[in-house]
Amino acid sequence: MLENDVSAPAMNTTIYLKEYQVPDFLISQVDLEFVLSPDNTRVKSRLKVTRNGAHDRALTLCGEKLTLISVAINDESVAADAYEQTDMSLKLPAVPNEFELVIETEIAPQQNTELSGLYRSSGNYCTQCEAEGFRRITYFLDRPDVLAEYRVRIVAPKAACPVLLSNGNPVAQGDGPDGLHWAQWHDPHPKPSYLFALVAGDLQFIEDQFTTMSGRDVALKIYTQSAYINKCAHAMASLKRSMAWDERVYGREYDLDIYNIVAVDDFNMGAMENKGLNVFNTKYVLADTDTATDADYEAVESVIAHEYFHNWSGNRVTCRDWFQLSLKEGFTVFRDQEYSADLGSRAVKRIQDVQVLRAFQFKEDSGPMAHPIRPDSYQEINNFYTATVYQKGAEVIRMLHRLLGADAFRRGTDLYFADFDGQAVTTEDFVHALERASGVDLTQFRRWYSQAGTPIIKVEQHFGDGVLTLSLQQSCPDTPGQTDKLPFHMPIEVALFSPDGKKLVAQTLSFNQAEQQFRFDNLACKPVVSVLRYFSAPVKLEYKQSNADRLHLIKYEDDGFVRWESMQQLCLAMIQPALTTGELDPRAYQRVRDAFEALMTDPNPSDKAVLAEMLTLPPAAYIAELASRVDPAAISAVRDRCIERLAKDLEKYFHALYADNNTALDTDAQSLAARRMLKNRALFYLVETGQTAYYALASHQYHAASNMTDRLAAFTALVQSHYPDRDALISDFYETWQHEPLVLDKWFAIQAMRPSSEALREVEDLLHHSDFTLTNPNRVRSVLGAFSGNLAGFHRLDGKGYALLVDYVIKLDQINPQIAARLVSSLNSWRRFTEPYASRMRTELARLNMVSQLSSDVREVVSKALSV
Ligand code: B3K
Ligand code: ZN
């Protein structure tokens, strides 16, 4: 190979939304037969194909890593010189207008380490087809706007694969010769290929049933390996709650006789909404109190709900093309967020969702991969399952819900589901349905779909003669390929509070100009203004609020989000100046200290979980996001110092809080979990005092805990502190939990997140641990993912954290490009760092970019990260 072949990285092809064309052919019926075998699975596909419109173009099917065995049109074999085959496609130049196409291919699920298409996990067969995995199973028009009715027949050895599942309803099953057996499935609902699924193997199941609102009985089954089967009850209960909620809140009913969920160890993301046959990462199904924390329980509940809700928002009405991904993802995230809010504490849910948005989406929006929720172009679609498409997408739907009001929003979604059932549509179709149902003009609102970047809202207030004037100004930073953005239309929730804490006014401001003023008349005296209640728009506020006003809102606001946000602002006012001066301003510190004390001595805290959140300093990642230049060492040092001082100064209050909440006074699960959250927050500070007595307290909690929430909280606090018996504790945890993969993931992650420069050495050891493997995405995330988010451990002056990450990205790219690309993204924001971090990150990105054999996934991320 020539030298410049090596040094010139290959260019990826870019796909553009503006170039969308309807498919040249449609496929209405798909009959698939699988004869399963680890190294040579035979796939026979019989397709009913019709030319779409008057043209004479060839039929070009997508296909990757397939061995083609035969092609036949209307039962006539097609000779090899009558088609053109490439690595990516099969082209049939002259085909009739309507015909039956039969294609036989062979695939090797055992060799499939990318976990896209048909692969094996713990010896069982499973599939992942979204976005473009179906083309790794058979040649097909693998695009979401080709919808077909599927019939699937699976043949496999009965002993190894007693369970044979696919989408839809079971039709028939039977025994064949030579120890084989078979099953047939039929999915009556036309679907795109990305929703196809097949699962086969030695699986156990639990079952239940749900009667829908029109009285139809649905069988519910959750399948997994026998070792995990006793951990599925919470997922099943969550599924039933989700089904009832979607009937009650959206009028959506389930539409098959059976709903199957399968939990597998090896999965690239959380779960997949395949029609009637969801495939899940075990992390989002398995839960019992010994092995799962309260947060795990909540995560299972929300992901089960999310995938269930996709049955309507995604499956019955699907996306025309992948640029429309937020049509199903943003909407479905909004639906699952509201489900969880209805079930638990709405305020805590909002706080946690905003934290995720700020930590991941704001960062993405200010980096080289920034894109609108409906991107204009992509190279590798798997790189666009992003916080922007999901989380900001959900915020956009939330704003629509607020601007229209719940009733008009519901009329809009009813209209959308009725008009587009069985179709592949666009975000424009969704917005237009809401507009038609509500009469609200959403012309300007549509900019949220096309403009990237996080808007910045400047707030100023003026009071005189009983009139408060609130001046709002909006701007949006440039993002790659986009400058001079136009103003957005957004709802800004405000409330005014009197000096004695009464809520005088609460109102939604419809903000749609670059600058706008809002008047509030007849005020007896100057009120305290609360802006962006409920975090009503995904923006950054620039608001010079006085500390006195913040304290007033902490005391009197009834919106838990604003109370928490006001506390975060007090903390930021303490932390941010110290990042440059290196000194904590004593008054700023004292304010936080006093506010913490007031919160902890409040005899009637409204919500213990909100209180736990309020007693938490802004995460390092958010402080970094707000900084003009990120100095990771300064952020860690200042934040650690604040924690240590608060811990020492408020020790007796933390101790009392711990003692008061270390009891099981409540009976409902939610109150118990809130109590644990608060108690464990207190324990964290107590351990941070460095006092032997508190190490002993945490060690006792670790050993005596009756649940994983308490055990893990104690373990985390000790492992991330200067606890002298740290090594023994780590060994004890390993000895106890080494046979529980999901618990072992936590063990890996907590060490990789150790907030110290020692983390690198530990991570190097973990990467050589006998339980570490690059083939399991959860394990990779728990070590390399956790490490790359560790501000103090990953960002080192010598750049060795970056070098280690890139070494592993190069290895991982050969095995699983999707996961490799996710890991590189942690270097995307290199330009925002101070020196020498920025240069060291760039050097590693450049080294990665020189690798000639990169996947298109990693190539897209690295080339965009380096581009000017
Ligand atoms: N729709 C899937 C995600 C598929 C990701 C493909 N790279 C899960 C979900 O959002 O529900
Ligand atoms: Zn989804």
Side-chain angles (χ1 to χ4, degrees), residues 604-653:
N604 290 312
S606 52
D607 181 334
K608 284 179 189 273
V610 172
L611 177 55
E613 293 290 1
M614 292 179 78
L615 295 173
T616 307
L617 295 188
Y622 184 51
I623 301 169
E625 166 58 32
L626 294 176
S628 52
R629 276 277 168 269
V630 183
D631 178 348
I635 293 175
S636 306
V638 170
R639 198 171 175 277
D640 289 351
R641 188 135 36 94
C642 294
I643 291 171
E644 199 185 319
R645 278 194 65 181
L646 288 166
K648 287 181 174 158
D649 290 355
L650 296 168
E651 176 202 330
K652 73 171 182 194
Y653 300 103

Side-chain angles (χ1 to χ4, degrees), residues 306 310 329 390:
H306 180 98
H310 268 316
E329 295 306 347
Y390 276 66

